Amino acid sequence: MKSLRQRLAEHGFVANEEYDHAVRCLLGARHDHLRCLNVEGTQGGRRTAFAHALGQALGYAHILYHEFTPPPPEEPVRLVPAQEAEEAVGEPPVAPLDRVMAEACALSEGDPTLLILDALHRAPFREHLRLAEFLGNGLWRYGEISLKAHRRHLMVCLLSDDPLYHTLGRRCFRIWVDPDPAQAVRPAPADLDLPETAAPMLEALASLFSELKVNPTLEEYRRLLDDLQRNVHSLEDLRLSIYGWVEGVDREHLMSAPMRRFLEGKLPDLGIPPAQPPPGDR
């Protein structure tokens, strides 16, 4: 059976970290409110990718997504003629949040459903209060409508740049998805189907990644090694391949003069010919 990390990778979230324990705690917890996950980390796109991949890896039948958007600028006040106002009377449109919450409640009646609410820091505070109440009693209300979610079928996933409102946060299990420096991969040649003679090359790469403060996955190692064997013939090629394949690389640091000198010292171990000085410097 594939591990959770493998299943997450199949759905687009590749990481060195294992999330099995955290997910078991989330799914096995006994509580009297709806199950809720607060995905934390400094990289918004990584949080969103994790939430979607987790829903797919766990086999949720329905995955709903809603992103809170910045409030629109206030429109100038316009006086409406009485006749026009009478003609405009009617049911107001359903707000996007109410629409997705209604769909989540309805779908959860029959199937496991994951509801992802992204960019919660943009939502008005009244929505934080409504969500906290919803997690507590499973009821979502708007207008004269009241909808009930299935406690065992629905899981809510919250993503925010800011800490959650206290009561809302207390009803969530938190998980951190930024890369963990302690989980840096230092593969042996056998891990990448390479002969033992490739050890100096892998050591040079590990040193390089440590200097760049990134923790590539095995897949990123494989892609870069493939480039080293087929496409990289100079230091500039190396920098372009590193930036192209390895997530989280700071381009300014990679292209800096100190980093250039560091990379030049690693070229022999990586099988790259040293850069030739300009003709005038020979």
Side-chain angles (χ1 to χ4, degrees), residues 6 10 13 31 63 70 72 111 149 190 217 239 242 277:
Q6 291 172 318
E10 288 177 350
F13 185 83
H31 42 59
I63 300 176
D111 297 306
T217 62
R239 293 205 283 195
I242 291 171

Side-chain angles (χ1 to χ4, degrees), residues 204-216 221 224 242 246:
L205 286 176
S207 174
L208 188 162
F209 294 141
S210 177
E211 187 71 17
L212 289 170
K213 297 180 173 57
V214 293
N215 302 319
Y221 264 97
L224 187 55
I242 291 171
V246 182

Side-chain angles (χ1 to χ4, degrees), residues 80-89:
V80 180
Q83 182 179 357
E84 185 178 335
E86 290 177 5
E87 293 174 354
V89 172

Side-chain angles (χ1 to χ4, degrees), residues 211-212 239 243 248-260 263:
E211 187 71 17
L212 289 170
R239 293 205 283 195
Y243 186 75
V249 170
D250 182 329
R251 189 177 187 279
E252 184 175 350
H253 180 37
L254 176 64
M255 299 298 177
S256 68
M259 196 64 204
R260 180 185 186 90
L263 289 171

